[in-house]
Amino acid sequence: MKIAFKKLGSQPLHFEANRDNARFSGDLILKKGNVAQLNGTITGSISIPCDLCAEEIEHPLNEEVTFYLSDGIYEGSDEELDIVEIDHSTIDLDELLHSEIELIKSDYFCCKNCEGTSLDREF
């Protein structure tokens, strides 16, 4: 799902995107100038390989996400904000969902068969 940045205003705009068994939903609201805030939830599940034996694990998702989107290059000084720069004035929610899932997958995962092994404790 793609949303044109110019469609955002002071009233929250609801969105929903799906990828496999994951659902990304929430609201977008224009904060100031060319910066919008995204508040959303990623629910469902994803398949992830165990980091020890590579067996597939079905990992449940219930992640709250909040970040800011800038229409183009962000030139502000709000260093504490998590800013995502958007190209071509179009917010691609499928791409944002994919990025968040890849971030989750980068964590360490261990299947039930490998839990408690000596390798598991080293991490």
Side-chain angles (χ1 to χ4, degrees):
M1 172 182 208
K2 294 183 180 184
I3 297 174
F5 211 96
K6 66 183 177 184
K7 292 199 177 219
L8 301 181
S10 60
Q11 294 297 316
L13 177 65
H14 184 73
F15 69 85
E16 185 174 315
N18 296 292
R19 180 183 182 98
D20 300 325
N21 293 328
R23 180 176 177 260
F24 185 29
S25 62
D27 294 307
L28 287 160
I29 188 166
L30 191 62
K31 293 306 258 183
K32 60 180 179 177
N34 67 334
V35 176
Q37 182 176 351
L38 181 146
N39 297 309
T41 306
I42 301 172
T43 57
S45 65
I46 54 175
S47 185
I48 301 173
C50 171
D51 286 321
L52 296 177
C53 71
E55 179 181 328
E56 288 294 314
I57 305 166
E58 197 63 25
H59 179 70
L61 297 170
N62 189 14
E63 303 284 328
E64 298 287 329
V65 293
T66 299
F67 49 84
Y68 294 86
L69 305 167
S70 173
D71 187 9
I73 296 173
Y74 181 69
E75 296 179 9
S77 61
D78 300 325
E79 294 173 7
E80 74 278 358
L81 299 179
D82 189 9
I83 303 284
V84 176
E85 296 176 340
I86 302 298
D87 291 331
H88 309 295
S89 297
T90 303
I91 301 166
D92 188 340
L93 292 164
D94 296 320
E95 184 179 314
L96 291 173
L97 174 58
H98 175 74
S99 295
E100 290 297 314
I101 288 174
E102 291 304 312
L103 182 63
I104 293 166
K105 285 181 173 182
S106 71
D107 203 354
Y108 176 76
F109 293 94
C110 188
C111 72
K112 290 182 181 183
N113 293 334
C114 295
E115 284 178 352
T117 63
S118 61
L119 287 175
D120 185 33
R121 289 189 202 122
E122 290 178 13
F123 292 100

